[in-house]
Amino acid sequence: MESLTSHEIHQQVRERLADAEVRYTTGRRAVVTALLRARGPRSAGEIVDLVVGAVPISSLYRSLAVLDESGVIGKHHDVDGIARFELAEWLVGHHHHMVCDRCGNVEDVALSGHEEDALHELVDRVGDSLGYTVSGHVLEVEGVCATCAV
Amino acid sequence: MESLTSHEIHQQVRERLADAEVRYTTGRRAVVTALLRARGPRSAGEIVDLVVGAVPISSLYRSLAVLDESGVIGKHHDVDGIARFELAEWLVGHHHHMVCDRCGNVEDVALSGHEEDALHELVDRVGDSLGYTVSGHVLEVEGVCATCAV
DNA sequence: TTCCTTGCAAACGATTTGCATTGGA
DNA sequence: TCCAATGCAAATCGTTTGCAAGGAA
């Protein structure tokens, strides 16, 4: 997938929010900018620090909720159960995660088209066998990174 | 992997806890029994309902903490950020999860030997390409279950 | 004006902890 | 006996919500 420029991403987000009939306000734009600068998923607390100027945590959560509901960002919970947010895959591309068991570092990994196709077939088969209509999948590879392997 | 009988699992757990120098008490045994009956990860609230008789939620959390720390059970957080627990893979075998987008239900899924082998190869390749020594992987299939699909 | 959005403070709910009591080796 | 384990209640903390004020169309 071609990676979009910062400007293009804001443009895409604006359109998506327009479709959802909500405004692309300063606060919401600040969240997208922060996540764009971030090199991985960030918690609400971390985003407060990334955003320029003071932002009430409750307003931030509301911005995050709107962006999440309109599909601009994704939300998941880390091992401590804290919510972490990142730009949605349609903006930054479908990918998986390589997690280091030692240092906890998380890297994005994009599979080759062939690999992704094979995985897709596999998860479709799994869903079918259980009577589910498959909508997506998450693959996390665990291991020890080169730095920690010393 | 051969699946162990309920009795054998309790035996294994007892030994593991003995190594950790903690007792295999009635409350802890009840948790293992409940998770054995469950066919997927369960939250603390759900486990309270699965266990026979009344169990204070705080005591349950303490049992879960002990079992988690000694590697008898695993813990992860669902899409709502709620902690879910399940018996560790060394007791019940390696498997993946099928998650319903609507109701949040989670079911265990064991791939066929051939599928698991293919997945294994894939994740090894991913790890190699990033300089990681792969230790494991997690695959989560997302979709809508038959009940919610109406 | 008319709603959507924001800020502040209070409320929520899952999980944890302090402390006194109980129970098993 | 003696200390781990338990029960109860209070505390924590990330997150959500009620309500009044601000702002854009």
Side-chain angles (χ1 to χ4, degrees):
Chain A
M1 171 182 182
E2 291 301 307
S3 73
L4 304 175
T5 66
S6 165
H7 179 265
E8 287 169 333
I9 285 184
H10 279 298
Q11 189 55 38
Q12 296 277 342
V13 172
R14 172 179 298 287
E15 288 174 20
R16 171 70 71 117
L17 290 188
D19 288 345
E21 296 181 316
V22 293
R23 301 173 191 152
Y24 195 23
T25 63
T26 309
R28 292 166 190 173
R29 178 185 296 271
V31 169
V32 171
T33 300
L35 291 181
L36 214 36
R37 260 209 306 276
R39 285 285 183 274
R42 293 289 180 270
S43 67
E46 290 166 347
I47 294 173
V48 164
D49 296 334
L50 288 173
V51 166
V52 291
V55 183
I57 192 77
S58 63
S59 295
L60 174 61
Y61 272 112
R62 272 197 265 240
S63 291
L64 290 168
V66 167
L67 294 172
D68 186 24
E69 283 156 18
S70 42
V72 171
I73 64 177
K75 170 185 183 178
H76 69 90
H77 291 84
D78 66 17
V79 293
D80 294 321
I82 293 176
R84 289 181 172 277
F85 305 86
E86 59 184 338
L87 294 176
E89 296 199 330
W90 64 273
L91 285 169
V92 295
H94 176 61
H95 60 272
H96 298 283
H97 288 141
M98 175 82 239
V99 188
C100 178
D101 294 330
R102 300 264 174 82
C103 65
N105 182 50
V106 181
E107 290 184 43
D108 287 351
V109 192
L111 300 183
S112 70
H114 176 265
E115 289 172 328
E116 192 61 46
D117 286 345
L119 186 56
H120 222 96
E121 271 182 40
L122 173 61
V123 303
D124 279 347
R125 215 154 48 229
V126 166
D128 283 350
S129 72
L130 293 172
Y132 282 64
T133 304
V134 173
S135 61
H137 64 271
V138 174
L139 175 63
E140 226 175 75
V141 184
E142 305 164 331
V144 179
C145 74
T147 307
C148 289
V150 294
Chain B
M1 171 186 180
E2 291 300 307
S3 72
L4 304 176
T5 65
S6 165
H7 179 265
E8 287 168 334
I9 285 184
H10 280 298
Q11 189 54 37
Q12 296 277 341
V13 172
R14 171 179 299 286
E15 288 174 19
R16 172 69 71 115
L17 291 188
D19 288 345
E21 296 180 316
V22 292
R23 300 173 192 155
Y24 195 24
T25 62
T26 310
R28 293 166 190 173
R29 177 185 296 269
V31 170
V32 171
T33 299
L35 291 180
L36 212 39
R37 261 208 304 276
R39 281 290 180 275
R42 292 292 180 267
S43 67
E46 290 166 346
I47 295 172
V48 164
D49 295 335
L50 289 172
V51 165
V52 292
V55 183
I57 193 75
S58 62
S59 296
L60 174 61
Y61 273 112
R62 273 198 264 240
S63 290
L64 289 168
V66 167
L67 293 173
D68 185 24
E69 285 156 18
S70 41
V72 171
I73 65 177
K75 170 186 183 177
H76 70 91
H77 293 265
D78 66 18
V79 294
D80 294 321
I82 295 176
R84 288 182 171 276
F85 306 85
E86 61 184 335
L87 294 176
E89 295 201 330
W90 65 273
L91 285 170
V92 294
H94 176 62
H95 61 272
H96 298 285
H97 289 143
M98 176 82 238
V99 188
C100 178
D101 294 329
R102 300 266 174 81
C103 66
N105 181 50
V106 183
E107 292 182 43
D108 288 350
V109 193
L111 300 182
S112 69
H114 176 264
E115 289 173 328
E116 191 61 46
D117 286 346
L119 185 56
H120 219 97
E121 272 183 39
L122 174 61
V123 302
D124 279 347
R125 216 152 49 227
V126 165
D128 283 351
S129 72
L130 293 172
Y132 281 65
T133 304
V134 174
S135 62
H137 62 271
V138 174
L139 175 64
E140 224 174 78
V141 183
E142 305 164 331
V144 179
C145 75
T147 308
C148 289
V150 293

